Structure formats: structure tokens, C-alpha cells
Amino acid sequence: MKYIVKKIMEPDYGCEERPDDYVAMDKVILRDESGSEIDMEIPDAELYEKDINEGDWVYFDVSNVIFKE
């Protein structure tokens, strides 16, 4: 199933320090082809690496890994 990326919300940590092994996770709001919306947490670095932005169509493989169409 394909999803359109409706919104990507990056966490705001203010001046708090994060542990060295911390993985920043973005909340991503997705809408499927039938109009249903879901939200998922996806690593920020993965979204940048795959150039996934709001308005892009994406899908997930059997391991639930996100890919840009």
C-alpha cells in the first residue's frame, strides 16, 4: 500500500542534552490511498538519507522499512 507523507514533526529538545547513542525519531503522519491516516515514528537520519519529505509517496517493505516511490 502507498502512503502520502502529510506531515513530518521533528522533536524539540530545547537545551536538554541527549545520550550519545540516542537516535532522533520523527513523528510522520501518513495517509493511505483510501484516505485513512496513521502515524509512525521513523529515524530522522533515515528520512534524510532517503530524501523523504512532506508530499512524497512512500511504501513499506515486509520488514516495515520505509521507501520513497
Side-chain angles (χ1 to χ4, degrees):
M1 181 174 297
K2 293 188 324 182
Y3 299 88
I4 191 165
V5 179
K6 295 300 295 176
K7 186 155 187 83
I8 298 173
M9 294 177 280
E10 297 179 354
D12 180 12
Y13 301 103
C15 59
E16 294 179 24
E17 294 210 15
R18 298 177 299 242
D20 291 336
D21 61 346
Y22 179 78
V23 175
M25 301 291 283
D26 295 344
K27 183 175 180 180
V28 180
I29 308 296
L30 303 163
R31 186 178 69 213
D32 68 21
E33 296 168 293
S34 66
S36 298
E37 289 192 0
I38 61 169
D39 62 83
M40 299 186 73
E41 286 197 350
I42 301 172
D44 184 66
E46 185 175 354
L47 295 174
Y48 277 108
E49 176 185 311
K50 296 177 178 177
D51 192 32
I52 296 173
N53 300 290
E54 291 178 3
D56 290 341
W57 284 93
V58 297
Y59 64 95
F60 295 87
D61 69 6
V62 294
S63 300
N64 222 22
V65 176
I66 192 169
F67 291 93
K68 189 172 180 176
E69 185 176 61

